[in-house]
Amino acid sequence: MTSKNEGGSAPRVGMQLSHNVERALSDLRSRREHVKRKAMQDLRSAVEMEARQLSRENFTAFVTELNKRIFDLIKSEEPHEKLGGIFAMDALIDVECEETPTFITRFANYLRLILPCNNVATMIMGSKVLGHLAQAGGTLTADFVEFEMKRALESLNGEKRSEHQRLAAVLVCKELAINAPTLFFLHVPAYIKAVWSGIHADKQVICQASIESRRETPLLHATPLSLIHVICR
């Protein structure tokens, strides 16, 4: 195994990804979920190996190229390829390496391109990965959760927001409540009011998501409906 260089070789420009990484990225484009799930594991293993073997400069170049490839998946018009990009991010969030802050920041920006979008399955998976990101964000978590909560509440309260914007907001709030409950607690009053209006939304998909959000949110699961009525007056 090649060891990291101590001030040795210069970083390679336009770094070519390894065969294992390329294969994993290719499999993430598959329409079959079990292929995607295996590709997630393969990608994480390949990236961890690169983190051990490459110099810091070359690993930074590697991560830059890898992020570009993940972005290509995210911006694809094909839902199964977007999901592949989401799966890739989910696989890499917990990788322990010097570039973890870069992953966290980049992935947060990529997820904002997906939430909202016009595909419900994509938004559901994207919101789950956003929750994973909030759980693993370390020192970046507080600012991240604050930004996403404000953005979600604006979408829930805005009169001219689209169905997809409101649905994405409900899903985001639910995942942040589950994965960052202490930070979410600061927004509980505003969230209860917003999600209550979602429960009475005309669109069935938003109504159902709002009901599930309250049911699956630990902080709100035990909140009596009578108290919600008082808060929402």
Side-chain angles (χ1 to χ4, degrees):
M1 183 178 71
T2 304
S3 60
K4 288 192 174 187
N5 294 332
E6 298 293 338
S9 61
R12 288 175 271 172
V13 178
M15 173 169 283
Q16 189 173 17
L17 300 179
S18 69
H19 171 73
N20 288 341
V21 174
E22 289 284 5
R23 184 178 60 187
L25 290 171
S26 177
D27 287 348
L28 284 166
R29 294 180 181 272
S30 173
R31 296 178 184 271
R32 295 175 292 176
E33 183 170 343
H34 74 276
V35 175
K36 278 183 162 65
R37 293 290 179 186
K38 183 178 184 304
M40 285 177 65
Q41 298 173 3
D42 293 343
L43 180 63
R44 174 167 179 157
S45 296
V47 171
E48 288 175 336
M49 179 177 291
E50 297 285 10
R52 292 192 299 268
Q53 293 183 343
L54 295 176
S55 68
R56 180 168 185 174
E57 292 82 2
N58 280 333
F59 186 65
T60 297
F62 165 81
V63 168
T64 298
E65 182 62 27
L66 178 59
N67 281 334
K68 289 178 182 177
R69 299 291 294 278
I70 293 174
F71 181 72
D72 287 341
L73 290 171
I74 294 298
K75 70 179 183 180
S76 171
E77 296 297 324
E78 298 292 338
H80 64 279
E81 293 189 354
K82 280 187 184 295
L83 281 173
I86 296 171
F87 277 46
M89 290 187 287
D90 199 26
L92 299 178
I93 288 171
D94 293 322
V95 170
E96 296 184 5
C97 64
E98 295 167 337
E99 292 297 317
T100 296
T102 300
F103 280 139
I104 298 294
T105 302
R106 290 275 187 173
F107 294 170
N109 289 331
Y110 292 171
L111 287 168
R112 288 168 193 146
L113 301 176
I114 298 168
L115 297 162
C117 69
N118 59 6
N119 184 281
V120 174
T122 300
M123 286 197 289
I124 290 173
M125 186 62 193
S127 68
K128 290 183 181 299
V129 175
L130 185 140
H132 185 187
L133 201 63
Q135 192 177 61
T139 58
L140 302 174
T141 298
D143 290 342
F144 169 70
V145 171
E146 180 70 16
F147 182 90
E148 295 301 336
M149 280 301 303
K150 286 184 176 180
R151 182 169 176 257
L153 291 172
E154 286 175 1
S155 293
L156 285 172
N157 293 320
E159 294 181 0
K160 297 183 179 180
R161 300 298 186 182
S162 69
E163 172 187 342
H164 291 118
Q165 286 174 311
R166 294 176 69 192
L167 176 59
V170 170
L171 294 170
V172 166
C173 287
K174 182 185 74 172
E175 294 300 331
L176 291 179
I178 292 170
N179 292 283
T182 302
L183 295 170
F184 177 83
F185 183 79
L186 300 173
H187 302 276
V188 165
Y191 174 67
I192 291 178
K193 290 181 181 180
V195 81
W196 186 250
S197 66
I199 289 173
H200 290 87
D202 293 332
K203 296 291 185 179
Q204 179 63 29
V205 65
I206 298 175
C207 176
Q208 186 61 36
S210 298
I211 292 171
E212 291 178 0
S213 177
R214 180 185 177 274
R215 182 186 303 132
E216 296 183 24
T217 300
L219 287 170
L220 301 185
H221 184 67
T223 304
L225 287 176
S226 58
L227 178 58
I228 292 179
H229 281 298
V230 171
I231 293 173
C232 293
R233 285 178 181 172

